Amino acid sequence: MGTLIALLAGATGLNEHDVRGIVRNAPVRYKTYEIPKRNGGTRTISQPAREVKALQRVLVTEILSRLPVHPSAMAYRPGISIKDNAAAHVENGPILKFDFKEFFPSIVSRDWRIYCEETSLFDDLEDIFSSTQILFHHMKERPGLRLAIGAPSSPCLSNVLMNKFDMRISDLVAVNHVTYTRYADDLTFSAKRTGFLTGVERTLRRVVRESRSPSLTINETKTVTATRKYKRIVTGLILTNDGNVSIGHERKKRIRAALHHAQQGSITDSELTRLGGLLAFVHDVEPEFFRRLVVKYGAPLLAAIQATNKTSDSDE
């Protein structure tokens, strides 16, 4: 591989001097703000400056997207959605779920340097340094460089750096006929019978403890076990006992109510946009329900609502 600086310059149209200038202080060129979480509290978002973001996107296109990612990693991959993550478990019975605490910020620049050295990704130490500067964020309240929630390169890079972990977990639990998937920081295990899941938590904790890179922490408040007797939810979708994936009764009820308001013209523009996005989601996850909505409310209305969502996307 040629020098990374030359690659970035060629892809962006900048000269190499300007690229080096951006790289030099890239970790601090972020705008940080808080957004509310659905279940309370806030999430810290750090958006890189436009020029840093441009370099990150080149790295994703030219390098990161070509690196190995384990099949069990379901998030941030083209053509794969949360439906695929849920569908991987639909034929099984009981499920066991875990969650990583502060997933992105737990992945640090050292993890990338270790990966580069182990895989011989770059021939030049300067390339490792430059890519690290571009991909990682300096958080004021924490030492070192960390992955930022809000950087376009963080999702893809997290999957790359988790490849070894995903491979090891998947291989270890497969011996007991257990299915494993990971959607970002959400880990789901399922099996035909509860007994097959007995050793999963012990195995997971051992691998997390022994993992040299990345160094992760299990969120002790989010461990969940569910069987067919109870509602089995994977990344927000319901695994039905007849072997299907559903958005759930509550969501369906809210969608019908919103469509009724849309028919009556008593819905705000922002609500209409959200409904358009939700209908696209329904069309992907549960097409049969979407077809029933078309029959009840009419294809023209649904098409008009979905068009508002596409218009909103194009304006961003």
Side-chain angles (χ1 to χ4, degrees):
M1 178 182 297
T3 66
L4 182 61
I5 297 296
L7 172 67
L8 294 168
T12 60
L14 297 169
N15 62 55
E16 293 189 17
H17 178 270
D18 289 340
V19 171
R20 291 181 192 277
I22 297 169
V23 167
R24 193 174 301 116
N25 60 3
V28 298
R29 298 172 80 162
Y30 284 74
K31 178 182 178 181
T32 298
Y33 53 93
E34 303 289 326
I35 62 170
K37 292 182 178 179
R38 284 181 300 176
N39 299 323
T42 60
R43 185 187 308 278
T44 301
I45 303 296
S46 296
Q47 287 273 0
R50 183 180 301 176
E51 58 273 19
V52 177
K53 192 179 294 185
L55 298 185
Q56 290 175 346
R57 285 177 171 147
V58 173
L59 286 181
V60 170
T61 302
E62 299 297 332
I63 297 176
L64 299 183
S65 63
R66 303 177 185 183
L67 298 177
V69 171
H70 195 268
S72 62
M74 294 288 185
Y76 319 128
R77 293 174 58 197
I80 296 179
S81 67
I82 61 172
K83 180 183 179 181
D84 297 296
N85 186 51
H89 302 277
V90 77
E91 296 298 330
N92 286 332
I95 63 171
L96 184 58
K97 300 193 294 182
F98 298 89
D99 180 88
F100 284 131
K101 189 176 181 180
E102 296 187 316
F103 179 57
F104 274 14
S106 295
I107 299 176
V108 298
S109 57
R110 170 180 169 272
D111 301 322
W112 174 241
R113 290 195 298 270
I114 289 173
Y115 180 91
C116 292
E117 291 165 2
E118 289 181 343
T119 61
S120 300
L121 179 61
F122 295 113
D123 299 323
D124 194 324
L125 289 177
E126 184 189 13
D127 289 347
I128 298 178
F129 170 79
S130 298
S131 59
T132 301
Q133 289 285 103
I134 295 167
L135 295 170
F136 291 86
H137 168 47
H138 173 68
M139 299 174 66
K140 293 180 181 178
E141 68 279 11
R142 302 181 72 169
L145 301 180
R146 301 172 182 273
L147 276 195
I149 301 173
S153 53
S154 292
C156 182
L157 182 55
S158 70
N159 277 343
V160 169
L161 295 179
M162 288 292 288
N163 183 50
K164 187 184 293 187
F165 176 93
D166 290 334
M167 185 183 302
R168 189 176 180 199
I169 289 290
S170 184
D171 290 347
L172 287 171
V173 301
V175 173
N176 293 318
H177 311 288
V178 173
T179 300
Y180 161 68
T181 63
R182 181 181 59 79
Y183 197 91
D185 56 353
D186 292 324
L187 285 66
T188 305
F189 301 85
S190 67
K192 296 295 184 184
R193 296 195 296 273
T194 304
F196 292 151
L197 296 174
T198 303
V200 165
E201 182 170 356
R202 183 170 60 251
T203 297
L204 173 62
R205 291 186 181 277
R206 174 166 58 86
V207 174
V208 168
R209 186 173 60 252
E210 294 174 354
S211 178
R212 180 189 175 204
S213 174
S215 178
L216 302 167
T217 303
I218 295 172
N219 189 335
E220 301 296 344
T221 66
K222 291 191 176 180
T223 301
V224 176
T225 303
T227 66
R228 287 183 181 272
K229 293 182 181 180
Y230 303 95
K231 186 182 293 185
R232 295 175 300 151
I233 303 175
V234 176
T235 45
L237 298 176
I238 310 297
L239 305 185
T240 66
N241 289 340
D242 60 357
N244 291 309
V245 175
S246 173
I247 64 171
H249 294 300
E250 287 302 315
R251 267 197 185 128
K252 290 177 181 179
K253 185 177 178 180
R254 291 199 301 270
I255 290 169
R256 291 191 189 99
L259 284 170
H260 175 74
H261 291 311
Q263 272 187 326
Q264 303 300 313
S266 56
I267 188 171
T268 66
D269 289 345
S270 61
E271 289 171 338
L272 202 62
T273 300
R274 285 196 296 272
L275 180 57
L278 194 52
L279 288 174
F281 173 69
V282 170
H283 187 272
D284 175 53
V285 173
E286 204 167 347
E288 180 54 40
F289 175 61
F290 183 86
R291 283 192 285 273
R292 293 200 299 271
L293 292 177
V294 171
V295 171
K296 182 173 182 178
Y297 297 98
L301 176 65
L302 268 69
I305 294 171
Q306 287 183 288
T308 65
N309 182 60
K310 290 178 181 177
T311 302
S312 174
D313 289 343
S314 65
D315 290 341
E316 293 179 354

